[in-house]
Amino acid sequence: MTDSASTPGVRLLGTPANALRVAAVGTSEVIRVARGSSAPGPAAAHAVQPKIDMHHHFCAPQWREWAVHHGLIKEEQLPPWTRLDTAAAVRFMDDAGITTAVLKPMLPARYRSSAQLREAVNITLQSMIEVAQSHPGRFTYYVPLFLDDPEASSWAVRRGLGQLGAVGVNVTANYGGVYLGDPAYDRLFHELNEFSAVVDTHPHNLPGCPPGASTVPGIPNFMCDFLLDTTRAAVNMISRRTLDRFPNLSVVLPHAGGFLPYIASRLQALGRFCDPPVEPAAVRDHLSRFYYDTAGPMAPAATLLEHVPADHILFGTDWPAAPADTVTDLALPALEADPAFTPQQLQGIYHDNAMRLIPQLATA
């Protein structure tokens, strides 16, 4: 089985294990929420418009217990926020005015076989189903896929999308340095295309990153490298005409597309030097067809809106990897004060765009 991403033998989804420790910076506020503080938070003002959180991390407690039991992880390797429970999530959502969250599952471990990977995925799926059923209307979920294991991924698509009612799939930008858009993934993308699937992506450590270490000492990889990882995946999908070859797919890029909006003109001008060459029209077309979430805080939106229709922007928090105070004190106020967005566009970002993309949210 091919190893995932840059850490030998480690299969990662969502925020990778060796970045999770540094991603926990600022979790004191998250832990305060988890302990049930009843003091009104600054997000009370954000509760006016109902929101759908399209970027909400989830680490299944059943998976953690199973992985520890089988010696796949040491629980202390995971940051504190991975142990927050559903009650903490609901409190955060209520504080931020979030009606529904789409769970992005993370299950980082060293899987010894494809069968073990399937067991991990199945445990995670069952846990998310329990969460959704115990809180009607508040949660739905993506299927975790590991594209470097095509058979397990195909099984997960059939089980999650075909049988269990998942609203899409979650993949990482690269697996062992093989980026989304690579022909190696075409077989699975054909299956996803038949389901008209929402393909939610998430960045990872850059290929060659030392395991458990920052690429640049003192700078956590999520600060810069993750954004580049998303950008590489997006450019590779543009180069390989992924959305033309699989026209029924809806691909969501996190963190406002990484650096993609800022290099769009550069890619149009210099894409002819890529192999295969990238035509300016293909750049413009794909940028307008990708979806982008606001997990961040993201930069001011003027550059994004130069290339992207506002109805392709989705609200996302990155909670609990992003601490609650980051969301409520920084990200939400910046989003609401951004002069590039009209009130109607903000309503779409918070709620309506997600409903159009995933109609099942109406009956979550």
Side-chain angles (χ1 to χ4, degrees), residues 86 103 125-141 163-165 364:
T86 307
L103 301 178
L125 286 171
Q126 293 299 329
S127 179
M128 291 189 293
I129 290 171
E130 291 176 11
V131 169
Q133 290 179 342
S134 62
H135 298 81
R138 302 307 303 270
F139 297 97
T140 186
Y141 53 91
Q163 300 173 5
L164 300 181

Side-chain angles (χ1 to χ4, degrees), residues 96-326:
I98 296 166
T99 56
T100 305
V102 182
L103 301 178
K104 291 170 69 94
M106 53 165 292
L107 45 161
R110 297 179 178 272
Y111 296 110
R112 302 183 182 105
S113 67
S114 184
Q116 192 175 59
L117 172 59
R118 293 190 193 199
E119 187 173 0
V121 170
N122 200 49
I123 290 170
T124 298
L125 286 171
Q126 293 299 329
S127 179
M128 291 189 293
I129 290 171
E130 291 176 11
V131 169
Q133 290 179 342
S134 62
H135 298 81
R138 302 307 303 270
F139 297 97
T140 186
Y141 53 91
Y142 291 129
V143 182
L145 300 186
F146 297 81
L147 301 187
D148 54 348
D149 190 327
E151 297 303 323
S153 293
S154 180
W155 166 84
V157 168
R158 296 191 304 272
R159 178 148 178 76
L161 295 183
Q163 300 173 5
L164 300 181
V167 299
V169 301
N170 185 221
V171 298
T172 49
N174 85 84
Y175 296 82
V178 181
Y179 275 88
L180 298 177
D182 192 277
Y185 305 138
D186 280 1
R187 173 187 162 191
L188 187 67
F189 270 57
H190 277 294
E191 290 188 52
L192 293 170
N193 194 64
E194 291 177 1
F195 277 96
S196 298
V198 173
V199 180
D200 179 77
T201 68
H202 200 279
H204 202 294
N205 288 332
L206 298 177
C209 178
S214 298
T215 304
V216 180
I219 300 177
N221 291 339
F222 66 78
M223 189 69 67
C224 303
D225 291 13
F226 278 26
L227 302 179
L228 177 56
D229 200 43
T230 292
T231 306
R232 286 179 171 182
V235 171
N236 202 46
M237 285 188 280
I238 295 170
S239 174
R240 304 289 178 172
R241 300 291 189 97
T242 297
L243 298 184
D244 291 337
R245 294 186 298 116
F246 307 105
N248 297 332
L249 297 183
S250 299
V251 175
V252 181
L253 302 177
H255 312 121
F259 301 131
L260 182 64
Y262 305 95
I263 67 164
S265 298
R266 179 182 180 88
L267 183 58
Q268 291 180 60
L270 302 175
R272 64 184 184 274
F273 296 106
C274 295
D275 183 18
V278 178
E279 299 176 1
V283 177
R284 293 189 293 270
D285 177 64
H286 274 64
L287 260 72
S288 69
R289 291 162 66 186
F290 287 133
Y291 287 81
Y292 307 77
D293 77 35
T294 66
M298 69 176 194
T303 300
L304 180 64
L305 288 175
E306 286 185 15
H307 306 286
V308 174
D311 62 3
H312 277 225
I313 303 174
L314 309 166
F315 178 67
T317 66
D318 222 339
W319 192 87
D325 57 358
T326 297

